[in-house]
């Protein structure tokens, strides 16, 4: 990436995975990038992150892949099993096979390890904490950002990487009403040394339940020393969308009492669990309005069943960086960026909702084989 003559001030709302990736890429072009984050500091929120080869290849191009490999696990396969009999219905080789086929492996890790690597790639002062965005206004020359403490800032363009409750999206499209799916998710991390009688601890394994919304997913973390457990099941009585809300281990075990003994052993090893309601949002008709655009969950929040939420935000950041590099004014890059990304993200958004991908057979090529650094741009 080369330095362009016309440098711009670019504001990013949200210091999550997508926002930090965009900041890294855009700073490498020489732009003045400021990331505004409402939290008072970075926190270790979220237990895990599953980076499939398409996401790892994108991160390699941003220069952070080596740091991730120091702590990540490399699942050897993606396995599907039936919840009651334990029958294996599909197995997709990953590990070295994925690296040879897709140019990068699958990496699974604690989310904090990814955030640390992204933070380390940015100098101090790029992220400004305690800045909760409450509105933006545009004119022909730029964007005015208003924050909750009555402070304001001005930039040439703004990127809304501010998640499922995006203020920038609300400005562009108005308030939304996400639909509760009737499904809840449980998450836990257990030391592998506490598990006995469980196979495939070095793989990504998905236990497919009796209906499309019931499942248990596991994969290794921390170079294989820990195992992440993610389970979903229909339950209308819980509506809390936060990913940090505690749940009850006894309830978790009871809800999956009809699963295979091997799957139940996983849940027996859990000492604590987090619980969250899952909401669905439809693909947006557009992401861009003038000098403002959206990225990641702000424009295409996904159900977690294909493990592509973070991956698609990372891809967004790379493609947006490439489009900005090709434009004289970053605002001119927003429509080509959206055009390059909308079809793919909408397809994954809908496919994640359907939750049938790789259940019995198939290839990961259309997801894993995507290269954000070389995909054609208009």
């Amino acid at each position: 990436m080369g330095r362009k003559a016309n440098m711009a001030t670019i504001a990013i709302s949200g210091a999550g995975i997508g926002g930090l990736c965009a900041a890294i890429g855009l700073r490498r072009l020489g732009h003045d990038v400021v990331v505004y984050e409402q939290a008072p500091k970075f926190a270790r929120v979220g237990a895990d992150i599953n980076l499939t080869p398409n996401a790892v290849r994108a991160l390699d191009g941003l220069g952070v892949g080596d740091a991730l490999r120091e702590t990540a696990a490399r699942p050897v396969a993606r396995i599907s099993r039936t919840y009651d009999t334990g029958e294996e219905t599909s197995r997709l080789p990953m590990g070295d096979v994925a690296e040879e086929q897709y140019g990068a492996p699958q990496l699974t890790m604690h989310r904090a390890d990814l955030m640390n690597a992204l933070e380390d790639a940015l100098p101090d002062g790029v992220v400004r904490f305690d800045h909760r965005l409450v509105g933006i206004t545009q004119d022909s020359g730029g964007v005015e950002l208003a924050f909750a403490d009555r402070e304001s800032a001005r930039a040439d363009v703004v990127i809304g990487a501010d998640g499922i409750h995006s203020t920038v999206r609300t400005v562009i499209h108005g308030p939304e009403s996400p639909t509760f799916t009737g499904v809840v998710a449980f998450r836990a991390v257990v030391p592998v040394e506490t598990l006995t009688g469980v196979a495939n601890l070095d793989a990504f394994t998905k236990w497919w339940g009796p209906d499309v919304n019931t499942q248990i997913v596991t994969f290794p973390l921390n170079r294989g020393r820990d195992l992440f457990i993610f389970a979903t099941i229909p339950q209308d009585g819980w509506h809390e969308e936060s990913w940090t809300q505690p749940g009850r281990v006894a309830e978790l075990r009871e809800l999956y009492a009809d699963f295979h003994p091997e799957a139940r052993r996983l849940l027996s090893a859990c000492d604590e669990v987090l619980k969250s309601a899952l909401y669905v949002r439809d693909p947006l008709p557009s992401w861009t309005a003038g000098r403002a655009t959206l990225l990641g969950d702000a424009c295409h929040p996904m159900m977690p069943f294909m493990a592509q939420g973070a991956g698609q935000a990372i891809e967004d950041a790379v493609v947006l960086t490439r489009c900005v590099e090709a434009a004289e004014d970053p605002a001119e890059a927003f429509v080509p960026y959206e055009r390059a990304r909308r079809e793919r993200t909408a397809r994954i958004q809908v496919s994640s909702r359907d939750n049938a991908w790789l259940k019995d057979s198939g290839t990961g090529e259309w997801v894993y084989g995507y290269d954000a650094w070389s995909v054609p741009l208009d």
Side-chain angles (χ1 to χ4, degrees), residues 44 47-49 71-75 108-111 113 188-195 200-204 217-229 266 269 271:
R44 296 180 67 91
D48 78 295
I49 194 76
T71 59
R74 289 169 54 117
T108 53
M109 69 198 72
H110 290 284
R111 185 180 185 275
D113 291 339
V189 176
V190 299
V192 166
E193 64 184 15
T194 66
L195 295 168
N200 303 309
L201 294 176
D202 58 352
F204 176 106
V217 171
T218 66
F219 53 79
L221 303 173
N222 193 22
R223 288 188 172 270
R225 290 188 285 271
D226 296 325
L227 192 76
F228 177 69
I229 299 171
L266 295 166
D271 291 329

Side-chain angles (χ1 to χ4, degrees), residues 7-21:
M7 292 302 101
T9 299
I10 299 176
I12 299 175
S13 177
I17 293 168
L20 294 184
C21 286

Side-chain angles (χ1 to χ4, degrees), residues 73-310:
R74 289 169 54 117
V76 299
R78 186 192 190 284
I79 301 169
S80 291
R81 298 183 67 178
T82 302
Y83 81 101
D84 49 359
T85 67
E87 176 190 3
E88 186 175 306
T89 58
S90 74
R91 177 181 285 255
L92 188 68
M94 299 300 289
D96 293 340
V97 174
E99 186 155 20
E100 180 177 345
Q101 183 173 357
Y102 305 119
Q106 179 183 19
L107 298 178
T108 53
M109 69 198 72
H110 290 284
R111 185 180 185 275
D113 291 339
L114 172 57
M115 291 299 293
N116 288 341
L118 298 177
E119 294 159 29
D120 289 345
L122 293 168
D124 293 342
V126 171
V127 179
R128 300 185 185 176
F129 296 102
D130 280 320
H131 280 72
R132 183 169 67 85
L133 186 69
V134 295
I136 61 172
T137 55
Q138 301 189 47
D139 55 39
S140 60
V143 182
E144 193 81 14
L145 294 84
F147 301 99
D149 61 0
R150 298 187 180 181
E151 186 179 347
S152 65
R154 187 167 178 83
D156 295 304
V157 294
V158 62
I159 299 165
D162 42 354
I164 56 177
H165 302 295
S166 169
T167 296
V168 180
R169 183 187 60 222
T170 299
V171 171
I172 293 175
H173 287 288
E176 66 155 0
S177 297
T179 302
F180 175 48
T181 60
V183 179
V184 299
F186 294 89
R187 296 178 299 136
V189 176
V190 299
V192 166
E193 64 184 15
T194 66
L195 295 168
T196 57
V198 180
N200 303 309
L201 294 176
D202 58 352
F204 176 106
T205 302
K206 185 167 182 175
W207 296 81
W208 295 81
D211 59 75
V212 70
N213 292 316
T214 303
Q215 63 178 11
I216 298 174
V217 171
T218 66
F219 53 79
L221 303 173
N222 193 22
R223 288 188 172 270
R225 290 188 285 271
D226 296 325
L227 192 76
F228 177 69
I229 299 171
F230 177 80
T232 66
I233 198 164
Q235 189 178 88
D236 283 327
W238 181 277
H239 298 274
E240 177 60 56
E241 195 173 12
S242 169
W243 285 101
T244 59
Q245 186 75 23
R248 294 189 301 110
V249 173
E251 180 193 23
L252 172 67
R253 295 170 182 164
E254 180 181 344
L255 289 171
Y256 297 87
D258 58 348
F259 269 59
H260 189 271
E262 206 173 313
R264 296 202 307 271
R265 290 188 196 106
L266 295 166
L267 306 186
S268 295
C270 297
D271 291 329
E272 56 185 22
V273 67
L274 301 177
K275 182 178 181 181
S276 177
L278 299 182
Y279 285 75
V280 69
R281 293 158 171 86
D282 293 326
L284 291 174
S286 64
W287 301 355
T288 298
R291 294 183 168 273
T293 197
L294 303 172
L295 183 153
D297 282 353
C299 49
H300 48 67
M302 299 175 180
M303 294 284 279
F305 298 141
M306 287 175 67
Q308 286 301 308

Side-chain angles (χ1 to χ4, degrees), residues 25-38:
L26 294 169
R27 286 193 78 259
R28 288 172 63 179
L29 298 179
H31 293 291
D32 179 15
V33 180
V34 182
V35 182
Y36 296 100
E37 168 57 42
Q38 66 177 352

